[in-house]
Amino acid sequence: MTVKTLKETPSQTAGPYVHIGTVPAAAGLQVRTQEKLNITGLKGGEAIVIEGCIRDGSGELVRDAMLEIWQADAKGRFDAGGHSGWARAVTDFKTGLYRFETVKPGPIQWRDGRPQAPHITAVIFARGINIHLHTRIYFDDESAANEADPVLKQVPGEAMRQTLIARRDAAAKATTYRFDIVLQGEDETVFFDI
Amino acid sequence: MTTPPELIRRDRAWHPPGYAPGYKSTILRSPRRGLLGLEQSASELTGPVFGHSMLDDLDNDLIANYASDGEAIGERIIVHGRVLDENARPQSGVLIEIWQANAGGRYRHINDGYMAPLDPNFGGCGRCISDADGNYFFRTIRPGPYPWRNNGSDWRPAHIHLSLFGTSFAQRLITQLYFEGDPLIALCPIVNTIADPQAIDMLVAKLDMANMVPFDCLTYRFDIVLRGWRQTFFENKREGN
């Protein structure tokens, strides 16, 4: 017999009605309508928008997903004891787009003290996703930092690395990065087992 | 450089796999390349902390929190339990968000078109934060089963969705709670994405007659286990470990 710890409660899909419990106003409930969940509470540094869509293995938009992000502030510090580095968004029922408003994170130390390139942790929940998918959002205007990043270095191949890099939208008024997520197929986003 | 304390690796064979064709929605929504195993760093080991100040008094009372001209219709129940980690340590401060269908199996959601009527006094949305000993409770009505398109018309067993935040973002979890004795559990393609019967049993709330509220509510017990911290040996020890 091996040593037994308790087992983690198993995951189940968030289902198509995830909005009711997590973003009730999106489901049509007239509760907590004042909450702006897709905006982090971070102050200072460069204000940015991250938007994009999620596609399935047939290229269809995933219009019933819920996403969350967690990140450091502009100086690379995590909010210990608060949730200012956290936000939650849903993909729009019609356009399929999600949108976060936050600040660009600073560099964060890797386990051995090396810097990690600025990045945002993202998790995705939806109908048909049995256990949430965990990924990272990096920035295309941080190419030097990205090249030295200890996580990006572990991703096999440039094409797969590119799936983790948000692209600056030069045409947008606010500083906007586009980050599309592909659940399956040729351009499948890299997802992590942490 | 201090290596932050790390979580026990997630047992991916215990959780449902991404691709589980009996639940058809997974076929096009599951990654095929395999997950990339990654060492844990501050980006995943830290996480948001939610305080009691965000809660309204009725947030954990779904019988009352959407009531307009009366209480929600259905079997009155309490769902309670304890949040632990894999090392059996109570987890306090865990934000638990729940959502569910009404007693007829209908969700208050603009995309739900099931024929069962909405209950004007039921929203189906609640939340609470576990106390210092890891305890939590909700008052609600038992949700109804409902049909869904999978194999023509499959039926979901009565269930409550739960979303959980530990202290680390890598402990994040969304799952579903079922009710002891429901014959639909064994027939459900979503339940059956989980291979191990013992894992399924962890999702089944048990009737807790000792804690029923006389002449008011039946009570179900549902304990929750989040990922735990692994012991560190020749490394910096986590405080309290």
Side-chain angles (χ1 to χ4, degrees):
Chain A
M1 285 291 280
T2 53
V3 174
K4 292 259 190 288
T5 56
L6 295 181
K7 295 298 287 185
E8 187 186 8
T9 299
S11 175
Q12 291 268 265
T13 180
Y17 307 125
V18 59
H19 316 83
I20 298 172
T22 58
V23 190
L29 274 74
Q30 291 303 307
V31 298
R32 303 186 208 157
T33 48
Q34 78 290 357
E35 290 181 353
K36 300 278 183 239
L37 294 171
N38 67 326
I39 304 174
T40 65
L42 296 173
K43 306 276 179 247
E46 188 185 4
I48 63 168
V49 171
I50 298 171
E51 62 181 15
C53 64
I54 305 176
R55 292 189 184 275
D56 72 10
S58 72
E60 268 300 304
L61 288 167
V62 174
R63 295 184 179 89
D64 54 6
M66 187 273 280
L67 304 89
E68 289 176 352
I69 57 170
W70 171 245
Q71 66 168 92
D73 70 9
K75 294 192 164 142
R77 299 168 305 197
F78 287 97
D79 181 358
H83 58 271
S84 64
W86 173 84
R88 174 185 276 169
V90 297
T91 52
D92 186 89
F93 295 152
K94 291 195 181 73
T95 65
L97 286 172
Y98 73 85
R99 176 187 171 93
F100 286 109
E101 293 176 32
T102 184
V103 303
K104 197 168 179 190
I108 301 139
Q109 275 192 344
W110 182 240
R111 298 149 54 85
D112 56 10
R114 277 182 293 165
Q116 301 186 70
H119 65 272
I120 294 174
T121 292
V123 290
I124 302 143
F125 301 89
R127 170 178 67 85
I129 295 179
N130 283 331
I131 179 163
H132 58 282
L133 297 168
H134 185 129
T135 190
R136 283 184 168 199
I137 304 170
Y138 287 86
F139 301 92
D140 71 343
D141 48 13
E142 297 281 349
S143 49
N146 289 345
E147 252 169 62
D149 183 83
V151 171
L152 287 176
K153 277 183 174 175
Q154 292 184 54
V155 177
E158 189 54 28
M160 283 173 74
R161 260 193 297 280
Q162 288 300 323
T163 69
L164 299 175
I165 296 173
R167 275 163 231 305
R168 179 81 182 264
D169 177 358
K173 238 187 282 171
T175 304
T176 301
Y177 294 89
R178 175 91 185 189
F179 187 74
D180 289 346
I181 296 162
V182 180
L183 299 181
Q184 185 188 103
E186 190 83 351
D187 306 317
E188 189 172 302
T189 300
V190 171
F191 299 108
F192 297 105
D193 184 13
I194 305 289
Chain B
M1 175 62 201
T2 56
T3 308
E6 292 176 30
L7 294 162
I8 296 168
R9 299 297 308 184
R10 207 162 223 156
D11 182 354
R12 294 275 168 181
W14 179 255
H15 288 283
Y19 176 72
Y23 171 27
K24 291 182 183 173
S25 295
T26 69
I27 294 172
L28 288 170
R29 291 184 169 195
S30 49
R32 290 303 150 78
R33 287 203 174 125
L35 305 177
L36 186 66
L38 190 64
E39 298 95 320
Q40 301 164 1
S41 72
S43 301
E44 301 83 26
L45 291 168
T46 58
V49 176
F50 299 93
H52 287 82
S53 61
M54 67 184 252
L55 299 181
D56 185 87
D57 284 348
L58 293 179
D59 272 358
N60 69 338
D61 186 355
L62 285 72
I63 287 182
N65 72 15
Y66 208 82
S68 54
D69 60 352
E71 294 194 327
I73 292 170
E75 288 179 45
R76 301 164 66 83
I77 59 169
I78 303 274
V79 172
H80 79 124
R82 208 165 184 216
V83 188
L84 303 169
D85 74 3
E86 290 168 286
N87 298 309
R89 291 194 182 90
Q91 302 293 293
S92 64
V94 171
L95 173 65
I96 306 171
E97 298 168 292
I98 67 168
W99 65 101
Q100 64 168 88
N102 68 21
R106 172 80 181 268
Y107 283 95
R108 184 170 288 280
H109 190 291
I110 53 180
N111 292 341
D112 187 6
Y114 180 40
M115 61 172 64
L118 286 169
D119 176 346
N121 295 308
F122 189 71
C125 167
R127 59 185 176 180
C128 73
I129 292 177
S130 63
D131 71 14
D133 298 316
N135 295 308
Y136 76 91
F137 65 94
F138 289 96
R139 187 168 70 158
T140 185
I141 53 91
R142 182 178 166 126
Y146 59 85
W148 60 300
R149 282 178 202 286
N150 189 56
N151 290 301
S153 179
D154 282 326
W155 286 80
R156 291 305 323 276
H159 64 277
I160 298 175
H161 297 264
L162 296 95
S163 163
L164 300 139
F165 286 86
T167 52
S168 160
F169 206 48
Q171 290 173 297
R172 191 82 180 82
L173 184 71
I174 285 185
T175 188
Q176 301 184 29
L177 167 165
Y178 305 99
F179 293 90
E180 182 179 14
D182 186 342
L184 292 172
I185 294 172
L187 305 178
C188 177
I190 289 177
V191 172
N192 289 327
T193 59
I194 300 174
D196 190 326
Q198 286 180 297
I200 292 173
D201 190 59
M202 278 189 83
L203 298 182
V204 180
K206 307 298 187 293
L207 185 64
D208 180 3
M209 286 307 283
N211 286 306
M212 59 92 172
V213 185
F215 307 106
D216 182 343
C217 279
L218 279 175
T219 295
Y220 285 87
R221 169 108 189 180
F222 187 73
D223 291 335
I224 296 160
V225 181
L226 298 181
R227 292 175 75 180
W229 303 87
R230 78 174 174 83
Q231 188 61 262
T232 52
F233 297 103
F234 292 94
E235 300 163 52
N236 295 305
K237 285 208 165 197
R238 184 172 190 248
E239 240 173 284
N241 236 11

